[in-house]
Amino acid sequence: TIADANGEAWVMNMIGGVNGVTRTVWAARRVPKGHLAVIANEFTLGEIPEEQTDDFRFNKDIRQAAITAGLWDGKGALVFNQVFAPDPTRYHLEGRQPAPMSSSLRRWR
């Protein structure tokens, strides 16, 4: 989360890049005035809009990065926390390395 002295705050999710596409995959959403954001030690951003807005910013190559990495087929909504991170409550995903339990054990339920 990034905030300034005037009270403007953004929740930002960021991971390493995809070779040949981008050095960093990131997205940020402005926290509305009068609200707060609780971050449970994992990606919290959901659906990424088609175009950037005053309240939602992201890497211009985010969709291509997801497709190139084989994480998303380009159909339907790009949901950041589903595409770029495995579900930490599942721990083991077939054909992939186990996800760290550190996030799921601290998730508020």
Side-chain angles (χ1 to χ4, degrees):
T1 306
I2 302 168
D4 67 16
N6 297 321
E8 183 174 355
W10 291 78
V11 172
M12 186 170 195
N13 292 173
M14 183 179 349
I15 61 171
V18 176
N19 285 335
V21 179
T22 185
R23 293 177 61 184
T24 307
V25 175
W26 64 272
R29 186 174 192 172
R30 185 190 315 259
V31 178
K33 288 199 180 291
H35 291 79
L36 61 91
V38 177
I39 309 301
N41 226 16
E42 61 189 24
F43 291 142
T44 58
L45 295 180
E47 187 172 334
I48 303 296
E50 291 293 323
E51 300 290 329
Q52 295 192 43
T53 68
D54 289 341
D55 295 322
F56 218 120
R57 304 292 175 146
F58 47 88
N59 180 302
K60 67 180 179 61
D61 297 316
I62 194 168
R63 286 176 168 74
Q64 187 57 51
I67 292 168
T68 301
L71 301 172
W72 181 59
D73 63 8
K75 299 174 185 170
L78 174 65
V79 181
F80 192 97
N81 59 352
Q82 292 176 5
V83 170
F84 292 107
D87 181 349
T89 62
R90 290 187 153 182
Y91 185 64
H92 238 131
L93 299 175
E94 188 174 332
R96 295 187 185 183
Q97 294 294 320
M101 290 294 287
S102 59
S103 291
S104 62
L105 293 175
R106 289 183 284 228
R107 181 186 283 180
W108 296 343
R109 299 193 196 309

